[in-house]
Amino acid sequence: HNRKQTMSSSAPSHALTLYSYWRSSCSWRVRLTLAHKALAYNYEAVHLVREGGQQFAPTYAGLNPMHQVPTLIHELCDKESESGPSSATKAPQKVCISQSVAICNYLEEQFPDAPSIYPKDVIARAKVREIVDTITSGIQPLQNLAVLRKVGLDKKIEWGGHWIDIGFQAVEKLLEKSAGKYCVGDSVSLADFCLVPQVYNARRFEVDLSKFPIISRIEKDLAELDIFKQAHPNAQPDAEEAA
């Protein structure tokens, strides 16, 4: 596994490790959340194809029963995990979380003083979650590697492109009502962190993005932000030449 320590202003007591694959859109969402919150973390690469898929190794399966990435490990120091005079004798608590949106929400709640991945307004927060769920539940799972293997890799472009196109038709309609500079208003949010990786996938599956002008405009603007450059697949330690 390749390892990388991302530098940030977070306290050294927060020992975060992200099991990730460079081109995984789910891992990418979490990398964006970590970058947005300026949280330091260790990068552990899990290659989804090599050696029959390193996600199926028994050691990793113990962390992630779905044999997927990402997985986050958070080693809490004593003062975070325990309270009271006996806490000094306690071993650090290790929190293990899988599923990208669950990880992002955990980071949001565990580090509330860091920049938020949600707007303050209740309705705007709901709109962020609506877009997030549309992408993470309604689009990405249908073009995930396990599904493509079942469909047949010779049909993956047709299959994946079809479902991304249908999903993006819905996302474009949602953005007509919610978008400012970004997906919901003028501040980046978890919706943006889900959109950009899905646009990357859309290109891989040869989707005609000219049909989706709002998606395309937002993705172009987001690509200029430092956190999006930092979290991009090509910037990861396990990055390979894109096929």
Side-chain angles (χ1 to χ4, degrees), residues 228-243:
F228 284 83
K229 295 175 182 178
Q230 180 182 339
H232 193 279
N234 293 344
Q236 305 317 304
D238 57 331
E240 302 170 7
E241 185 175 349

Side-chain angles (χ1 to χ4, degrees), residues 14-32:
H14 302 312
L16 295 165
T17 299
L18 180 67
Y19 290 82
S20 173
Y21 179 61
W22 68 290
R23 207 161 62 176
S24 158
S25 56
C26 299
S27 299
W28 192 345
R29 301 165 193 158
V30 177
R31 296 196 303 262
L32 281 164

